[in-house]
């Protein structure tokens, strides 16, 4: 293995393929910086120790960047033109697959031109992965932007073992069946030896779609896939719930400067009795509007008083050129303005709305400052914010209100569960959270913290890669 590790352009024994590279820079003149997020944290050590490579888009249009070394990994950029970004990324990935797989919360658009671009770009990623993988390498493909890569790669490189992990939900058959290219996408995914999902239900939905559309036999997640030479091979569809680097959050939350910052945040809000907190990418799947509606009604009904409570809502900018996201931003900002206009006093605000992203230190300070965390997604593959909140509560206090439509709800059973469509139920849950006695907060938080600590993102990647390792080549 080590023979492959020491220079740019070498072949890699382990290759990760994802839409975005794990680094970022806002300007071609700038230095590359490591992107935040658990996936990078989990996979970096694996790639460093195996001389691995990561294939992905560098995040800018038309960036023809040569492969380069970064933090002990070989990074292999795949260029996307402005047109590819519009048709493959904003179009098919984020205006067809994303809304379809999130239970059509927003109507998916089906355009043949977008599909053609998706095929073309997936071929480009597959070629890049094929050219960097060493003989018999392990290649791990990530997420819905690259569903065709497993089969395309298998055709180019039958010697490699292929894993695919789907970070978002896989919908029920009746919804999936709307996709005009439903058979091609299933065949693309079935090119992998192991196909990982967040929840058991997602793996079940996938197996059902395979049975109904392709007629293949499936048994307890093992799918019998016919091969070109008339044989059969087995692909495994199974749940691997993703997590976070829990120890890193715990460690940050114990730092005196981070705790001081948490106190400063509360003071700057006027030291209200209760701080409610929401943080999401500004996405229609997150149920931000439902959360604001419930909160606004609690203020209007005088069940809450703006002198005693503030909602801090961080909405980080996302996919800003896709029409559904522009419309969502307008709706949310109108709602925030109305609620604040109706309820603010000169000294107190109902909602402190922040359309920014923040570094991890500041996020942890915000988690520590929040008495109640509101996760009200209408559909979410996992929702790592819920896990980050729990991992940050080293003081054992705080209440998590968690939508049952998140993958995290399968694991975080000590949270207050909500159906965000039920506004009355959501209002009651927020009140229960605000009024929860400290001993009950501690009891629930202890169980939640144990779960997140014992199932972190390193376990996730270990268990997935372990299953890939046992695939016979
Ligand atoms: C979700 C997806 C990821 C994606 C991220 C940010 O978590 O599962 O694949 O990278 O959103 O979205 P973006 O479109 O900015 O990459």
């Amino acid at each position: 293995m080590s023979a492959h590790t020491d220079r740019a352009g070498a072949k890699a024994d382990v290759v990760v393929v994802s839409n975005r590279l794990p680094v970022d820079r806002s300007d071609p003149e700038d230095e590359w910086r490591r992107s935040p997020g658990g996936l990078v944290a989990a996979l970096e050590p694996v790639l460093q120790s195996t001389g691995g490579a990561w294939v992905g888009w560098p995040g800018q249009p038309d960036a023809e960047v040569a492969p380069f070394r970064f933090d002990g990994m070989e990074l292999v950029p795949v260029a996307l033109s402005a047109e590819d970004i519009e048709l493959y990324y904003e179009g098919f990935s984020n205006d067809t697959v994303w809304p379809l797989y999130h239970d059509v919360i927003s109507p998916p658009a089906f355009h043949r031109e977008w599909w053609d671009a998706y095929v073309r770009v997936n071929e480009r990623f597959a070629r890049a992965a094929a050219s960097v993988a060493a003989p018999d390498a392990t290649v791990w493909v990530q997420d819905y932007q690259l569903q065709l890569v497993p089969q395309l790669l298998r055709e180019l490189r039958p010697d490699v073992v292929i894993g695919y992990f789907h970070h978002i939900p896989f919908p029920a058959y009746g919804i999936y069946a709307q996709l005009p290219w439903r058979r091609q996408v299933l065949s693309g995914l079935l090119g992998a030896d192991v196909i990982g999902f967040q929840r058991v239900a997602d793996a079940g939905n996938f197996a059902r779609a395979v049975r109904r559309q392709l007629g293949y036999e499936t048994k307890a997640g093992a799918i019998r896939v016919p091969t070109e030479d008339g044989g059969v091979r087995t692909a495994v569809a199974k749940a691997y719930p993703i997590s976070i680097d829990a120890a890193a959050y715990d460690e940050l939350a114990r730092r005196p400067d981070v705790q001081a910052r948490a106190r400063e945040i509360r003071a700057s809000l006027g030291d209200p009795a209760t701080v409610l907190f929401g943080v999401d990418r500004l996405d229609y799947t997150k149920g931000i509007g439902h959360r604001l509606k419930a909160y606004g009604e609690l203020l209007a009904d005088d069940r809450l008083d703006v002198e005693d409570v503030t909602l801090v809502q961080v909405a980080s900018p996302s996919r800003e050129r896709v029409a559904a996201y522009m419309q969502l931003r307008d709706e949310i900002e109108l709602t925030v303005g109305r609620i604040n206009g109706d309820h603010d006093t000169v000294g107190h605000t109902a909602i402190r709305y922040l359309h920014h992203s923040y570094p991890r230190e500041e996020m942890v300070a915000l988690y520590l400052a929040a008495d109640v965390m509101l996760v009200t997604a209408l559909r979410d593959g996992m929702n790592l914010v819920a896990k980050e909140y729990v991992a940050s509560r080293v003081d054992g206090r705080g209440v998590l209100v968690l939508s049952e439509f998140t993958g995290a709800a399968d694991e975080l059973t000590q949270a207050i569960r909500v159906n965000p469509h039920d506004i009355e139920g959501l209002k009651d849950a927020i009140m229960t959270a605000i009024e929860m006695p400290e001993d009950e907060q501690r009891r629930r938080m202890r169980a939640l913290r144990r779960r997140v600590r014992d199932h972190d993102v390193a376990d996730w990647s270990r268990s997935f890669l372990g299953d890939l390792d046992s695939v016979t080549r």
Side-chain angles (χ1 to χ4, degrees), residues 246 386-387 389-391 393 395-398 400 408 410-416 436 438-455:
K387 293 188 173 180
Y389 179 65
V390 167
R393 294 313 302 230
D395 59 346
R397 282 192 48 248
L400 174 63
D410 284 5
E411 294 175 76
L412 302 182
T413 52
Q414 295 294 315
I416 298 190
M436 188 180 286
E438 190 173 321
D439 57 341
E440 188 180 347
Q441 293 184 29
R442 290 189 181 283
R443 191 158 31 80
R444 287 177 183 253
M445 193 51 84
R446 202 174 309 126
L448 290 168
R449 287 180 58 75
R450 196 176 310 127
R451 172 76 208 186
V452 173
R453 191 194 58 212
D454 293 348
H455 298 270

Side-chain angles (χ1 to χ4, degrees), residues 19-20 89 94 98 143-145 167-168 281 318-319:
N19 177 53
R20 289 181 189 275
Y89 169 72
N94 289 316
W98 181 270
D143 226 358
Y144 66 101
Q145 304 92 344
H167 292 250
I168 70 172
R281 269 187 316 101
S318 186
R319 305 176 192 163

Side-chain angles (χ1 to χ4, degrees), residues 20 43 77 136 143 153 176 211 233 241 270 277 280 330 391 432 465:
R20 289 181 189 275
L43 298 181
D136 299 325
D143 226 358
L153 178 61
Y176 181 74
R211 280 194 303 275
R233 62 179 187 87
F277 187 34
D280 314 84
D330 287 347
T432 304
L465 288 168

Side-chain angles (χ1 to χ4, degrees), residues 201-253:
D202 297 314
N205 288 343
F206 173 72
R208 174 139 193 266
V210 168
R211 280 194 303 275
R212 295 289 298 264
Q213 282 299 321
L214 303 175
Y216 300 168
E217 212 180 291
T218 74
K219 204 154 137 203
I223 303 174
R224 291 170 60 78
V225 185
T227 54
E228 277 202 341
D229 58 10
V232 181
R233 62 179 187 87
T234 301
V236 173
K238 189 173 149 187
Y240 301 84
I242 201 169
S243 192
I244 58 167
D245 183 353
Y249 281 86
D250 184 286
E251 203 174 297
L252 271 178

